[in-house]
Amino acid sequence: MRQILEAIESPDASSAGAGDFASVAVPESYRAITVHRDETEMFQGLETEDKDPRKSLHLDQVPVPEVGPGEALVAVMASSVNYNSVWTSIFEPLPTFGFLQRYGRLSELAKRHDLPYHVIGSDLAGVVLRTGPGVNTWRPGARVVAHCLSVELESPEGHDDTMLDPEQRIWGFETNFGGLAELALVKANQLMPKPEHLTWEEAAVSGLVNSTAYRQLVSPNGAGMKQGDNVLIWGATGGLGSYATQLVLAGGGTPVCVVSSPSKAELCRRAGAEAVIDRTAEGYRFWTSDERQDPREWKRFGRRIRDLTGGEDVDVVFEHPGRETFGASVYVARRGGVIITCASTSGFRHEFDNRYLWMSLKRIIGSHFANYREAWQANRLIAKGRIHPTLSTTYPLEETAQAVHDVHRGIHHGKLGVLALAPREGLGVRDHELRARHLDAITRYRNGDASPACDVTDARPELPLGSIGGTCHAR
Ligand SMILES: NC(=O)c1ccc[n+]([C@@H]2O[C@H](COP(=O)([O-])OP(=O)(O)OC[C@H]3O[C@@H](n4cnc5c(N)ncnc54)[C@H](OP(=O)(O)O)[C@@H]3O)[C@@H](O)[C@H]2O)c1
């Protein structure tokens, strides 16, 4: 791994050149965050909130997989924690080994994924080490990020919208060899250029959530948001919500941000949102019991939104909490409005009063990740400095389980980064001019508490290997 890191950090390493990288030896094994098939019953009988990812996630030494046609092996400098890492680690709603088994039945090549351990993680920033037969666009040495859409594309159903491919999978969740590791295996068409004004850890955090929020809000496959739209954003400083807020602002809309603390409300305001609701301070109780919702609370919530928008309702509701909020979301959408949902964190059996949907001609749209094109467009916005990573804290690979635990508990802000091969934060920036222009926005979530931003990069482009860098996160 040291030879790989030296090649990556060498001042001569260029994003175009195979140069040193083709001659760098690939090791036989690598360190990776895993769950184990023989432990999937370990939390039986416990409530969701009592299942502790620190018990189920392991740091293992695992063999390097063979690189197949159309694939790339990437040296991972940094990765990130997504909520799917929480689902995997608590084996909910199902252990991911079922996904791997099903995938393994597809082909000889896919069989590699069906193992007694699952290397997880659906984001990465790093450098291509090897490519398989048939890969022409990407060469060893390319500095990349990866989106997490894995598709076979053998069926015509996915040819307009790659998310509709019947063999669509989320890499590192429904496939093996994910990004929370020193090496990762991806399909080469998951690769996209690394935004060069960002550090490795900043570049690593956006792929999954930014692409998902982009399809939900901006794409015609989602809500197709327009200038001037009011958009209600649940969890506006969470992984998805922190990007949704930026996409709405960048698209000329008005985000109505819902969060659960004053510090999160302040983060929304610093991002440029003026309409912010602290749901804890305002004490909304949409459910009076496990069975019953209180429509008076939906109405109180709707009045609060109108207070903030000058009397208007929301054109779009950006939904993901699910059961707890869905009744309110359907109620507060304007006549003809859209509720766009991609998840059900608080429960997947939603209940709402259908009279408010059909009589007011509202629509509910299901959305899931993003197709190739949407993921590419979402990354392009990051690369141009229009949308910024919301990295708050970075953990070493060894402490990934703690980071997943923190996301499970909801005590994080924005995104949590994980350093894999990168020896410290702050490395990997090549476009210092673009970075300087957007530094405040790039570092807005640092410290996670609306305290003044700081930059972890050194003024020099790259520091020598092993040097101690400035970390400005407080854990
Ligand atoms: N389908 C897809 O492609 C896709 C992609 C990404 C994520 N997801 C799913 O989307 C969900 C959110 O992901 P994320 O990365 O944004 O997670 P996250 O970083 O934990 O943020 C979610 C935020 O939602 C808010 N929230 C959670 N439970 C809530 C509740 N009961 N009522 C109101 N607000 C609530 C919280 O904010 P406050 O406490 O501040 O209100 C939380 O910070 C997860 O279930 C994830 O698996 C799906």
Side-chain angles (χ1 to χ4, degrees):
M1 289 300 169
R2 191 161 183 91
Q3 202 199 348
I4 293 173
L5 196 52
E6 277 167 0
I8 292 172
E9 295 209 311
S10 140
D12 307 331
S14 91
S15 49
D20 290 348
F21 288 91
S23 60
V24 169
V26 174
E28 286 184 357
S29 65
Y30 65 108
R31 294 187 317 150
I33 300 298
T34 64
V35 284
H36 294 176
R37 188 161 61 197
D38 60 5
E39 291 183 350
T40 58
E41 308 282 302
M42 71 191 302
F43 297 133
Q44 280 232 328
L46 295 182
E47 295 296 325
T48 297
E49 55 272 24
D50 297 328
K51 300 178 181 175
D52 188 339
R54 294 171 299 191
K55 294 192 173 138
S56 55
L57 291 172
H58 302 274
L59 179 62
D60 287 339
Q61 193 78 25
V62 299
V64 175
E66 173 200 339
V67 184
E71 294 180 341
L73 185 69
V74 181
V76 182
M77 294 299 274
S79 182
S80 96
V81 173
N82 283 295
Y83 212 92
N84 69 8
S85 312
V86 174
W87 297 126
T88 306
S89 69
I90 61 173
F91 310 111
E92 284 193 24
L94 293 166
T96 47
F97 290 97
F99 302 141
L100 303 184
Q101 266 165 9
R102 210 167 313 132
Y103 189 26
R105 287 197 288 269
L106 186 71
S107 68
E108 267 310 302
L109 209 58
K111 229 182 243 172
R112 290 167 305 164
H113 291 256
D114 184 10
L115 294 167
Y117 59 86
H118 185 183
V119 178
I120 68 166
S122 300
D123 271 323
L124 69 72
V127 175
V128 174
L129 266 188
R130 290 285 187 276
T131 53
V135 178
N136 303 306
T137 306
W138 301 101
R139 293 197 288 159
R143 292 155 63 95
V144 294
V145 290
H147 68 69
C148 64
L149 172 59
S150 168
V151 276
E152 306 304 312
L153 280 187
E154 290 186 305
S155 154
E157 282 158 59
H159 288 177
D160 263 352
D161 176 1
T162 41
M163 278 306 292
L164 298 186
D165 189 282
E167 298 295 340
Q168 178 269 319
R169 292 179 174 81
I170 298 298
W171 161 70
F173 180 60
E174 294 164 293
T175 78
N176 218 321
F177 316 123
L180 284 164
E182 293 172 330
L183 300 178
L185 187 73
V186 296
K187 290 188 190 290
N189 47 23
Q190 286 174 242
L191 298 175
M192 306 184 292
K194 172 189 175 283
E196 289 293 13
H197 62 302
L198 300 179
T199 64
W200 293 111
E201 62 279 9
E202 288 162 355
V205 299
S206 303
L208 189 148
V209 283
N210 184 40
S211 310
T212 306
Y214 182 91
R215 181 179 175 111
Q216 269 185 281
L217 288 175
V218 182
S219 166
N221 290 316
M225 194 202 102
K226 305 182 308 303
Q227 290 188 24
D229 276 358
N230 296 321
V231 182
L232 180 73
I233 302 172
W234 291 106
T237 60
L240 286 172
S242 57
Y243 289 84
T245 303
Q246 296 185 66
L247 287 166
V248 172
L249 286 167
T254 302
V256 179
C257 296
V258 187
V259 291
S260 61
S261 71
S263 67
K264 289 180 176 182
E266 181 53 25
L267 269 174
C268 294
R269 291 195 187 95
R270 279 182 40 197
E274 289 170 9
V276 184
I277 296 174
D278 179 341
R279 65 182 174 99
T280 308
E282 297 182 20
Y284 296 103
R285 290 198 58 202
F286 300 131
W287 289 83
T288 48
S289 70
D290 280 354
E291 302 297 319
R292 293 190 72 79
Q293 296 189 66
D294 183 354
R296 287 172 307 180
E297 283 293 89
W298 300 346
K299 287 178 188 166
R300 182 164 76 93
F301 187 54
R303 281 197 300 276
R304 179 72 176 116
I305 292 170
R306 285 183 181 170
D307 284 348
L308 293 167
T309 57
E312 296 177 343
D313 292 327
V314 289
D315 301 274
V316 178
V317 182
F318 184 82
E319 242 299 333
H320 51 87
R323 183 170 174 82
E324 249 177 75
T325 55
F326 207 81
S329 293
V330 170
Y331 178 79
V332 300
R334 76 157 166 82
R335 201 172 166 79
V338 172
I339 301 97
I340 180 101
T341 173
C342 77
S344 292
T345 315
S346 65
F348 48 79
R349 292 194 190 281
H350 298 181
E351 279 176 38
F352 59 91
D353 187 331
N354 200 33
R355 292 170 296 178
Y356 293 114
L357 190 83
W358 101 72
M359 297 291 284
S360 296
L361 301 107
K362 304 179 187 184
R363 288 177 298 144
I364 295 171
I365 302 178
S367 191
H368 186 37
F369 188 59
N371 65 30
Y372 281 167
R373 182 78 184 147
E374 290 157 349
W376 187 278
Q377 286 170 323
N379 185 57
R380 180 171 165 270
L381 290 176
I382 302 265
K384 285 181 172 287
R386 300 279 179 87
I387 301 293
H388 305 286
T390 58
L391 174 70
S392 60
T393 311
T394 307
Y395 295 70
L397 190 62
E398 298 79 4
E399 288 180 30
T400 303
Q402 181 65 42
V404 177
H405 165 271
D406 293 355
V407 173
H408 185 28
R409 290 274 164 275
I411 55 179
H412 65 300
H413 293 83
K415 291 288 300 176
L416 302 185
V418 172
L419 294 183
L421 285 174
R424 64 176 180 82
E425 293 178 85
L427 302 175
V429 176
R430 286 201 167 155
D431 186 343
H432 293 272
E433 198 248 311
L434 185 61
R435 182 177 185 78
R437 251 192 284 153
H438 296 292
L439 191 59
D440 281 352
I442 295 167
T443 54
R444 184 172 289 133
Y445 271 69
R446 284 281 171 173
N447 301 333
D449 58 0
S451 53
C454 61
D455 193 4
V456 293
T457 59
D458 193 88
R460 287 167 289 159
E462 302 276 352
L463 284 177
L465 208 64
S467 58
I468 309 293
T471 54
C472 69
H473 70 265
R475 277 199 45 229

